[in-house]
Amino acid sequence: MTSQRTIATEEDRQYYDTTERVRLKPGWMQGEGQPMPTIEPFLWRWQEVEPLVLKSGELVTPDRDVERRTLRLATPGLDRGTTHTITAALQLLLPGECAPAHRHTPTAIRWVLKGEGAYTTVEGDKCWMEPGDLILTPSWTWHDHNNEGSEPMIWLDGLDVPLVRYLRANFYEPYPEDQQPIVGVAESEKRFASGALRPAWEDHEAPYSPLWHYKWAKTEEALHSLAEIDASPFDDVAMEFSDPATGGPVLRTMTCWAQLIRPGVATRAHRQTSCAVYHVYRGQGYSVIDGQKFEWNEGDFFVVPPWVWHEHANPTGQESILFSIQDIPVLKDMALYREEPYVENAGHQPVTGLFRG
Ligand code: 1HN
């Protein structure tokens, strides 16, 4: 169907000149318009990333030169962000350094990769960072990072910046001091220690999880416990970090998953309107994304774009654990979430290429 009209007469010409002058755009003259920028699946190797993260420590210093020392995972096809909704970056904080307190309307998550002796303060609550911990910095909460240890601290930052910018709702405020006052230590964690029981006298109205710190030991225990009895055919032993007050996702714009891919498992392919940024927390395996095989090792990162077939496999004899940040809550809240299973070939895509980066 083509609805485009041509300019045939002088009367037409006058009409279109006038619409242009008064800034009206005839929809029937628009043609195909601009194609959406595509997001390619991509993978970053820790082997290549880690030395560059460590080297960044010699180039810039937080507080002195920059607010945060971060390296963004820059997916081909995008000028900003890691996907059209999520930006993911690696942040390095050296011993004795402070990334000064500020707050912004974009929401952030930290997924701790390496190091010890550093903490993030979120609204006065001091959260010690250990590898495998998930720490939330919900929209407009004060946060600063401090390394009081003797090792470099590295974590993955995940923010909804591209979405918030698109919605023109990006606000930012620096705190008057480098560090905000510490009101308590691990308080949000202590309030919700079991992950299921919560203080009975409190109604929680905030549009995000009141628990801000999910410790690795509990995440790992939950994965192994679920693995004893059940798994998803598409994602194997996949668990969503949940808000203890609602049971829903921890944030309104992003959700976080921890996923155990058991030895020998090859999941079935599916596709969703949501997208994801993955980190290989443990083990080895591969994902087939849009027919391309992405072999991953511990520490690697990869992107699954929206509406692209993907499946994960662990052909090794050891367990693999994936962490991911996904924009599912936005799509679901807007009634735009769709999911489709790949039905041919017993749920597995034909592999047409190997990603070499
Ligand atoms: C930010 O505030 C942090 O607070 C990290 O550590 C990464 C990327 C874009 C915008 C703000 C942080 C960020 C960021």
Side-chain angles (χ1 to χ4, degrees):
M1 187 183 74
T2 167
S3 61
Q4 201 168 346
R5 301 284 189 275
T6 51
I7 302 171
T9 63
E10 184 49 32
E11 198 184 347
D12 286 350
R13 156 83 48 218
Q14 268 180 21
Y15 178 83
Y16 292 117
D17 283 353
T18 311
T19 54
E20 194 176 330
R21 186 166 51 76
V22 304
R23 297 215 54 79
L24 290 171
K25 198 84 188 165
W28 61 90
M29 294 297 281
Q30 241 157 242
E32 292 302 305
Q34 289 281 42
M36 286 293 280
T38 56
I39 303 167
E40 292 173 29
F42 199 79
L43 180 142
W44 294 261
R45 300 191 195 287
W46 183 239
Q47 207 190 314
E48 286 178 340
V49 171
E50 189 184 22
L52 296 169
V53 171
L54 291 171
K55 181 79 182 166
S56 74
E58 296 169 27
L59 302 180
V60 288
T61 299
D63 215 7
R64 193 190 69 195
D65 315 314
V66 289
E67 197 144 11
R68 298 289 188 262
R69 186 198 281 124
T70 58
L71 285 169
R72 173 170 59 92
L73 299 175
T75 309
L78 289 174
D79 290 337
R80 314 176 149 268
T82 302
T83 75
H84 59 309
T85 52
I86 298 167
T87 198
L90 294 148
Q91 186 163 162
L92 171 72
L93 197 67
L94 294 176
E97 287 181 344
C98 166
H102 65 200
R103 61 178 177 178
H104 35 70
T105 49
T107 285
I109 69 101
R110 327 280 161 198
W111 172 247
V112 183
L113 305 180
K114 241 183 153 175
E116 60 169 0
Y119 62 89
T120 290
T121 311
V122 185
E123 291 281 305
D125 192 16
K126 185 172 180 174
C127 305
W128 286 103
M129 298 172 128
E130 290 180 297
D133 286 5
L134 171 66
I135 300 175
L136 310 179
T137 313
S139 182
W140 210 238
T141 51
W142 294 110
H143 55 282
D144 52 272
H145 318 297
N146 303 274
N147 189 346
E148 290 182 352
S150 54
E151 293 176 22
M153 196 82 204
I154 306 174
W155 65 85
L156 177 73
D157 287 309
L159 293 98
D160 55 10
V161 167
L163 179 70
V164 175
R165 284 178 58 97
Y166 182 76
L167 296 171
R168 308 296 190 264
N170 200 357
F171 293 86
Y172 163 90
E173 191 182 354
Y175 194 77
E177 320 282 333
D178 271 359
Q179 287 159 312
Q180 61 183 304
I182 289 169
V183 179
V185 179
E187 289 209 347
S188 92
E189 209 190 309
K190 285 175 190 153
R191 293 183 104 69
F192 302 95
S194 75
L197 294 157
R198 61 191 179 97
W201 65 94
E202 281 185 356
D203 276 329
H204 184 73
E205 310 273 310
Y208 46 74
S209 172
L211 173 58
W212 294 338
H213 196 172
Y214 295 75
K215 297 299 290 180
W216 170 247
K218 284 198 174 163
T219 304
E220 187 175 32
E221 189 190 331
L223 287 171
H224 288 147
S225 156
L226 180 59
E228 285 176 22
I229 53 155
D230 210 358
S232 145
F234 302 104
D235 289 297
D236 208 29
V237 186
M239 299 199 96
E240 181 179 32
F241 289 87
S242 71
D243 175 338
T246 64
V250 290
L251 299 160
R252 291 292 280 269
T253 50
M254 297 181 289
T255 188
C256 299
W257 286 24
Q259 223 168 314
L260 172 65
I261 315 287
R262 294 165 298 166
V265 166
T267 67
R268 300 170 75 94
H270 66 161
R271 61 182 180 182
Q272 297 121 306
T273 47
S274 56
C275 64
V277 180
Y278 274 90
H279 171 247
V280 183
Y281 184 73
R282 185 181 284 172
Q284 285 180 346
Y286 66 87
S287 300
V288 183
I289 310 172
D290 205 14
Q292 229 188 332
K293 189 174 181 183
F294 289 74
E295 291 174 325
W296 35 258
N297 286 300
E298 198 162 296
D300 294 352
F301 306 91
F302 61 92
V303 167
V304 177
W307 211 240
V308 156
W309 299 115
H310 58 278
E311 60 196 89
H312 310 295
N314 175 6
T316 76
Q318 261 91 48
E319 66 180 27
S320 292
I321 297 177
L322 303 174
F323 168 79
S324 61
I325 313 166
Q326 315 203 22
D327 63 359
I328 297 171
V330 183
L331 280 300
K332 284 198 173 166
D333 277 359
M334 295 176 145
L336 294 171
Y337 184 74
R338 283 186 185 214
E339 192 174 352
E340 195 175 78
Y342 187 86
V343 288
E344 292 109 73
N345 199 28
H348 299 291
Q349 307 157 75
V351 176
T352 53
L354 175 67
F355 177 82
R356 295 186 189 280

Short mmCIF file of all heavy atoms in Angstrom, two decimals, residues 293-333:
data_model
loop_
_atom_site.label_atom_id
_atom_site.label_comp_id
_atom_site.label_asym_id
_atom_site.label_seq_id
_atom_site.Cartn_x
_atom_site.Cartn_y
_atom_site.Cartn_z
N LYS A 293 26.42 -17.19 17.11
CA LYS A 293 26.86 -17.83 18.35
C LYS A 293 27.84 -16.93 19.08
O LYS A 293 28.87 -16.53 18.53
CB LYS A 293 27.52 -19.17 18.01
CG LYS A 293 27.83 -20.03 19.20
CD LYS A 293 28.34 -21.40 18.74
CE LYS A 293 28.63 -22.30 19.92
NZ LYS A 293 29.19 -23.59 19.48
N PHE A 294 27.47 -16.57 20.30
CA PHE A 294 28.32 -15.74 21.16
C PHE A 294 28.88 -16.62 22.27
O PHE A 294 28.16 -16.98 23.19
CB PHE A 294 27.50 -14.59 21.77
CG PHE A 294 27.10 -13.53 20.77
CD1 PHE A 294 26.09 -13.76 19.86
CD2 PHE A 294 27.74 -12.30 20.76
CE1 PHE A 294 25.72 -12.80 18.93
CE2 PHE A 294 27.38 -11.32 19.85
CZ PHE A 294 26.38 -11.57 18.93
N GLU A 295 30.15 -16.98 22.15
CA GLU A 295 30.78 -17.81 23.18
C GLU A 295 31.23 -16.90 24.31
O GLU A 295 31.89 -15.89 24.06
CB GLU A 295 31.96 -18.57 22.59
CG GLU A 295 31.50 -19.62 21.61
CD GLU A 295 32.64 -20.31 20.88
OE1 GLU A 295 33.66 -19.65 20.59
OE2 GLU A 295 32.49 -21.51 20.59
N TRP A 296 30.83 -17.25 25.53
CA TRP A 296 31.20 -16.38 26.64
C TRP A 296 31.98 -17.11 27.73
O TRP A 296 31.84 -18.30 27.94
CB TRP A 296 30.02 -15.63 27.24
CG TRP A 296 28.68 -16.31 27.29
CD1 TRP A 296 27.63 -16.09 26.44
CD2 TRP A 296 28.22 -17.28 28.26
NE1 TRP A 296 26.55 -16.87 26.81
CE2 TRP A 296 26.88 -17.61 27.93
CE3 TRP A 296 28.79 -17.90 29.36
CZ2 TRP A 296 26.11 -18.51 28.66
CZ3 TRP A 296 28.03 -18.82 30.09
CH2 TRP A 296 26.71 -19.11 29.73
N ASN A 297 32.84 -16.33 28.37
CA ASN A 297 33.65 -16.80 29.50
C ASN A 297 33.36 -15.91 30.70
O ASN A 297 32.83 -14.80 30.55
CB ASN A 297 35.14 -16.69 29.15
CG ASN A 297 35.54 -17.77 28.18
OD1 ASN A 297 35.43 -18.96 28.48
ND2 ASN A 297 35.98 -17.36 27.00
N GLU A 298 33.78 -16.38 31.85
CA GLU A 298 33.57 -15.63 33.09
C GLU A 298 34.04 -14.18 32.93
O GLU A 298 35.14 -13.93 32.44
CB GLU A 298 34.37 -16.32 34.20
CG GLU A 298 33.90 -15.92 35.58
CD GLU A 298 34.39 -16.93 36.62
OE1 GLU A 298 33.96 -18.11 36.54
OE2 GLU A 298 35.20 -16.55 37.47
N GLY A 299 33.18 -13.25 33.33
CA GLY A 299 33.53 -11.83 33.30
C GLY A 299 33.06 -11.09 32.05
O GLY A 299 33.06 -9.87 32.03
N ASP A 300 32.65 -11.83 31.01
CA ASP A 300 32.22 -11.16 29.76
C ASP A 300 30.85 -10.50 29.94
O ASP A 300 30.10 -10.83 30.86
CB ASP A 300 32.14 -12.18 28.62
CG ASP A 300 33.51 -12.73 28.24
OD1 ASP A 300 34.53 -12.24 28.75
OD2 ASP A 300 33.55 -13.69 27.43
N PHE A 301 30.56 -9.58 29.02
CA PHE A 301 29.26 -8.89 29.00
C PHE A 301 28.66 -9.06 27.61
O PHE A 301 29.40 -9.07 26.63
CB PHE A 301 29.44 -7.38 29.25
CG PHE A 301 30.21 -7.06 30.50
CD1 PHE A 301 31.59 -6.92 30.46
CD2 PHE A 301 29.56 -6.92 31.72
CE1 PHE A 301 32.31 -6.64 31.61
CE2 PHE A 301 30.27 -6.65 32.87
CZ PHE A 301 31.65 -6.51 32.82
N PHE A 302 27.35 -9.17 27.51
CA PHE A 302 26.73 -9.16 26.17
C PHE A 302 25.34 -8.56 26.22
O PHE A 302 24.72 -8.45 27.28
CB PHE A 302 26.74 -10.56 25.53
CG PHE A 302 25.98 -11.63 26.27
CD1 PHE A 302 24.64 -11.90 25.98
CD2 PHE A 302 26.59 -12.39 27.25
CE1 PHE A 302 23.94 -12.89 26.66
CE2 PHE A 302 25.91 -13.39 27.93
CZ PHE A 302 24.57 -13.64 27.63
N VAL A 303 24.90 -8.12 25.04
CA VAL A 303 23.61 -7.44 24.91
C VAL A 303 22.65 -8.28 24.09
O VAL A 303 23.02 -8.79 23.02
CB VAL A 303 23.82 -6.07 24.19
CG1 VAL A 303 22.50 -5.49 23.75
CG2 VAL A 303 24.52 -5.10 25.11
N VAL A 304 21.43 -8.41 24.58
CA VAL A 304 20.35 -9.03 23.81
C VAL A 304 19.37 -7.91 23.42
O VAL A 304 18.68 -7.37 24.28
CB VAL A 304 19.63 -10.13 24.63
CG1 VAL A 304 18.48 -10.71 23.82
CG2 VAL A 304 20.60 -11.23 25.04
N PRO A 305 19.35 -7.53 22.14
CA PRO A 305 18.46 -6.44 21.70
C PRO A 305 16.99 -6.87 21.73
O PRO A 305 16.70 -8.07 21.82
CB PRO A 305 18.90 -6.18 20.25
CG PRO A 305 20.20 -6.88 20.07
CD PRO A 305 20.18 -8.04 21.03
N PRO A 306 16.07 -5.91 21.62
CA PRO A 306 14.65 -6.26 21.63
C PRO A 306 14.26 -7.08 20.38
O PRO A 306 14.80 -6.86 19.31
CB PRO A 306 13.92 -4.91 21.62
CG PRO A 306 14.94 -3.86 21.50
CD PRO A 306 16.30 -4.46 21.56
N TRP A 307 13.32 -7.98 20.58
CA TRP A 307 12.68 -8.75 19.51
C TRP A 307 13.68 -9.51 18.64
O TRP A 307 13.58 -9.56 17.41
CB TRP A 307 11.78 -7.85 18.66
CG TRP A 307 10.63 -8.62 18.11
CD1 TRP A 307 10.32 -8.80 16.78
CD2 TRP A 307 9.63 -9.33 18.84
NE1 TRP A 307 9.21 -9.59 16.65
CE2 TRP A 307 8.76 -9.93 17.91
CE3 TRP A 307 9.38 -9.55 20.21
CZ2 TRP A 307 7.68 -10.72 18.28
CZ3 TRP A 307 8.30 -10.33 20.59
CH2 TRP A 307 7.47 -10.89 19.63
N VAL A 308 14.66 -10.08 19.30
CA VAL A 308 15.67 -10.87 18.61
C VAL A 308 15.69 -12.26 19.29
O VAL A 308 15.67 -12.36 20.51
CB VAL A 308 17.04 -10.13 18.73
CG1 VAL A 308 18.19 -11.08 18.60
CG2 VAL A 308 17.14 -9.02 17.69
N TRP A 309 15.70 -13.32 18.48
CA TRP A 309 15.72 -14.68 19.03
C TRP A 309 17.00 -14.89 19.83
O TRP A 309 18.07 -14.51 19.37
CB TRP A 309 15.68 -15.73 17.92
CG TRP A 309 14.45 -15.68 17.06
CD1 TRP A 309 14.39 -15.37 15.73
CD2 TRP A 309 13.10 -15.96 17.45
NE1 TRP A 309 13.10 -15.44 15.28
CE2 TRP A 309 12.28 -15.80 16.31
CE3 TRP A 309 12.50 -16.34 18.66
CZ2 TRP A 309 10.91 -15.99 16.34
CZ3 TRP A 309 11.12 -16.53 18.69
CH2 TRP A 309 10.34 -16.36 17.55
N HIS A 310 16.85 -15.50 21.00
CA HIS A 310 18.05 -15.80 21.80
C HIS A 310 17.84 -17.04 22.65
O HIS A 310 16.72 -17.33 23.09
CB HIS A 310 18.44 -14.60 22.67
CG HIS A 310 17.36 -14.16 23.60
ND1 HIS A 310 16.33 -13.35 23.22
CD2 HIS A 310 17.13 -14.46 24.91
CE1 HIS A 310 15.52 -13.16 24.24
NE2 HIS A 310 15.98 -13.82 25.29
N GLU A 311 18.91 -17.78 22.85
CA GLU A 311 18.92 -18.99 23.68
C GLU A 311 20.30 -19.11 24.32
O GLU A 311 21.28 -18.57 23.79
CB GLU A 311 18.60 -20.21 22.81
CG GLU A 311 19.59 -20.43 21.69
CD GLU A 311 19.07 -21.39 20.61
OE1 GLU A 311 18.42 -20.90 19.66
OE2 GLU A 311 19.33 -22.59 20.71
N HIS A 312 20.35 -19.75 25.48
CA HIS A 312 21.62 -19.87 26.22
C HIS A 312 21.98 -21.35 26.41
O HIS A 312 21.08 -22.18 26.58
CB HIS A 312 21.49 -19.22 27.61
CG HIS A 312 20.93 -17.84 27.59
ND1 HIS A 312 21.57 -16.77 26.99
CD2 HIS A 312 19.76 -17.34 28.07
CE1 HIS A 312 20.83 -15.68 27.14
NE2 HIS A 312 19.72 -15.99 27.78
N ALA A 313 23.26 -21.63 26.45
CA ALA A 313 23.68 -23.02 26.65
C ALA A 313 24.95 -23.10 27.48
O ALA A 313 25.81 -22.23 27.42
CB ALA A 313 23.90 -23.70 25.30
N ASN A 314 25.02 -24.17 28.26
CA ASN A 314 26.21 -24.45 29.05
C ASN A 314 26.68 -25.87 28.73
O ASN A 314 26.22 -26.83 29.34
CB ASN A 314 25.89 -24.30 30.54
CG ASN A 314 27.07 -24.69 31.42
OD1 ASN A 314 28.15 -24.96 30.92
ND2 ASN A 314 26.84 -24.71 32.72
N PRO A 315 27.59 -26.00 27.78
CA PRO A 315 28.05 -27.34 27.40
C PRO A 315 29.14 -27.89 28.34
O PRO A 315 29.61 -28.99 28.13
CB PRO A 315 28.60 -27.14 25.99
CG PRO A 315 29.03 -25.71 25.94
CD PRO A 315 28.23 -24.95 26.96
N THR A 316 29.52 -27.12 29.36
CA THR A 316 30.60 -27.57 30.24
C THR A 316 30.05 -28.45 31.38
O THR A 316 28.84 -28.60 31.52
CB THR A 316 31.34 -26.36 30.88
OG1 THR A 316 30.54 -25.81 31.93
CG2 THR A 316 31.66 -25.28 29.85
N GLY A 317 30.93 -28.94 32.19
CA GLY A 317 30.52 -29.76 33.33
C GLY A 317 30.34 -28.96 34.61
O GLY A 317 29.99 -29.51 35.65
N GLN A 318 30.57 -27.63 34.54
CA GLN A 318 30.42 -26.77 35.73
C GLN A 318 29.25 -25.80 35.53
O GLN A 318 28.93 -25.46 34.39
CB GLN A 318 31.68 -25.93 35.94
CG GLN A 318 32.61 -26.49 36.99
CD GLN A 318 33.64 -27.41 36.37
OE1 GLN A 318 34.26 -27.06 35.38
NE2 GLN A 318 33.78 -28.59 36.94
N GLU A 319 28.69 -25.33 36.62
CA GLU A 319 27.56 -24.41 36.48
C GLU A 319 28.01 -23.05 35.95
O GLU A 319 29.15 -22.63 36.16
CB GLU A 319 26.83 -24.23 37.83
CG GLU A 319 27.67 -23.54 38.88
CD GLU A 319 26.93 -23.37 40.20
OE1 GLU A 319 26.02 -24.17 40.50
OE2 GLU A 319 27.28 -22.43 40.92
N SER A 320 27.09 -22.39 35.25
CA SER A 320 27.32 -21.02 34.79
C SER A 320 26.26 -20.13 35.42
O SER A 320 25.11 -20.54 35.55
CB SER A 320 27.18 -20.93 33.28
OG SER A 320 28.22 -21.63 32.66
N ILE A 321 26.67 -18.92 35.79
CA ILE A 321 25.70 -17.99 36.38
C ILE A 321 25.76 -16.67 35.62
O ILE A 321 26.82 -16.07 35.44
CB ILE A 321 25.95 -17.77 37.89
CG1 ILE A 321 25.76 -19.10 38.64
CG2 ILE A 321 25.01 -16.70 38.43
CD1 ILE A 321 26.04 -19.05 40.12
N LEU A 322 24.59 -16.24 35.16
CA LEU A 322 24.47 -14.98 34.43
C LEU A 322 23.70 -13.98 35.28
O LEU A 322 22.72 -14.35 35.93
CB LEU A 322 23.71 -15.19 33.12
CG LEU A 322 24.26 -16.22 32.13
CD1 LEU A 322 23.30 -16.40 30.95
CD2 LEU A 322 25.63 -15.79 31.63
N PHE A 323 24.15 -12.73 35.25
CA PHE A 323 23.39 -11.64 35.86
C PHE A 323 22.90 -10.78 34.71
O PHE A 323 23.61 -10.61 33.71
CB PHE A 323 24.29 -10.81 36.78
CG PHE A 323 23.65 -9.51 37.22
CD1 PHE A 323 22.72 -9.51 38.24
CD2 PHE A 323 23.97 -8.32 36.59
CE1 PHE A 323 22.10 -8.33 38.63
CE2 PHE A 323 23.35 -7.12 36.98
CZ PHE A 323 22.42 -7.14 38.00
N SER A 324 21.69 -10.23 34.82
CA SER A 324 21.24 -9.33 33.75
C SER A 324 20.37 -8.20 34.27
O SER A 324 19.75 -8.30 35.33
CB SER A 324 20.48 -10.10 32.67
OG SER A 324 19.34 -10.71 33.22
N ILE A 325 20.40 -7.12 33.50
CA ILE A 325 19.54 -5.96 33.73
C ILE A 325 18.61 -5.91 32.53
O ILE A 325 19.09 -5.96 31.38
CB ILE A 325 20.36 -4.65 33.76
CG1 ILE A 325 21.59 -4.80 34.64
CG2 ILE A 325 19.49 -3.47 34.22
CD1 ILE A 325 22.58 -3.66 34.42
N GLN A 326 17.32 -5.81 32.77
CA GLN A 326 16.36 -5.85 31.67
C GLN A 326 15.34 -4.74 31.84
O GLN A 326 15.07 -4.31 32.96
CB GLN A 326 15.66 -7.21 31.67
CG GLN A 326 16.63 -8.37 31.87
CD GLN A 326 16.11 -9.69 31.35
OE1 GLN A 326 15.23 -9.74 30.50
NE2 GLN A 326 16.65 -10.78 31.86
N ASP A 327 14.74 -4.30 30.72
CA ASP A 327 13.77 -3.20 30.81
C ASP A 327 12.32 -3.70 30.79
O ASP A 327 11.39 -2.95 30.47
CB ASP A 327 14.03 -2.17 29.70
CG ASP A 327 13.86 -2.74 28.30
OD1 ASP A 327 13.56 -3.95 28.17
OD2 ASP A 327 14.02 -1.98 27.33
N ILE A 328 12.11 -4.96 31.16
CA ILE A 328 10.76 -5.57 31.14
C ILE A 328 9.69 -4.72 31.86
O ILE A 328 8.59 -4.56 31.33
CB ILE A 328 10.80 -7.00 31.75
CG1 ILE A 328 11.69 -7.91 30.91
CG2 ILE A 328 9.40 -7.59 31.88
CD1 ILE A 328 11.95 -9.28 31.55
N PRO A 329 10.00 -4.13 33.06
CA PRO A 329 8.93 -3.40 33.76
C PRO A 329 8.33 -2.25 32.95
O PRO A 329 7.13 -2.00 33.02
CB PRO A 329 9.63 -2.85 35.02
CG PRO A 329 10.78 -3.77 35.25
CD PRO A 329 11.24 -4.19 33.88
N VAL A 330 9.15 -1.57 32.15
CA VAL A 330 8.63 -0.46 31.34
C VAL A 330 7.65 -0.99 30.30
O VAL A 330 6.54 -0.48 30.15
CB VAL A 330 9.77 0.27 30.58
CG1 VAL A 330 9.23 1.46 29.81
CG2 VAL A 330 10.88 0.68 31.51
N LEU A 331 8.07 -2.04 29.59
CA LEU A 331 7.23 -2.61 28.54
C LEU A 331 5.92 -3.14 29.13
O LEU A 331 4.85 -2.93 28.57
CB LEU A 331 7.98 -3.73 27.82
CG LEU A 331 9.01 -3.37 26.74
CD1 LEU A 331 8.36 -2.60 25.61
CD2 LEU A 331 10.21 -2.63 27.24
N LYS A 332 6.00 -3.80 30.29
CA LYS A 332 4.80 -4.36 30.91
C LYS A 332 3.85 -3.27 31.39
O LYS A 332 2.66 -3.35 31.16
CB LYS A 332 5.18 -5.29 32.07
CG LYS A 332 5.70 -6.63 31.56
CD LYS A 332 5.69 -7.70 32.62
CE LYS A 332 6.07 -9.05 31.97
NZ LYS A 332 6.39 -10.09 32.96
N ASP A 333 4.41 -2.23 32.03
CA ASP A 333 3.55 -1.15 32.53
C ASP A 333 2.85 -0.42 31.39
O ASP A 333 1.77 0.13 31.57
CB ASP A 333 4.37 -0.14 33.34
CG ASP A 333 4.56 -0.60 34.78
OD1 ASP A 333 4.03 -1.68 35.13
OD2 ASP A 333 5.23 0.11 35.55
#
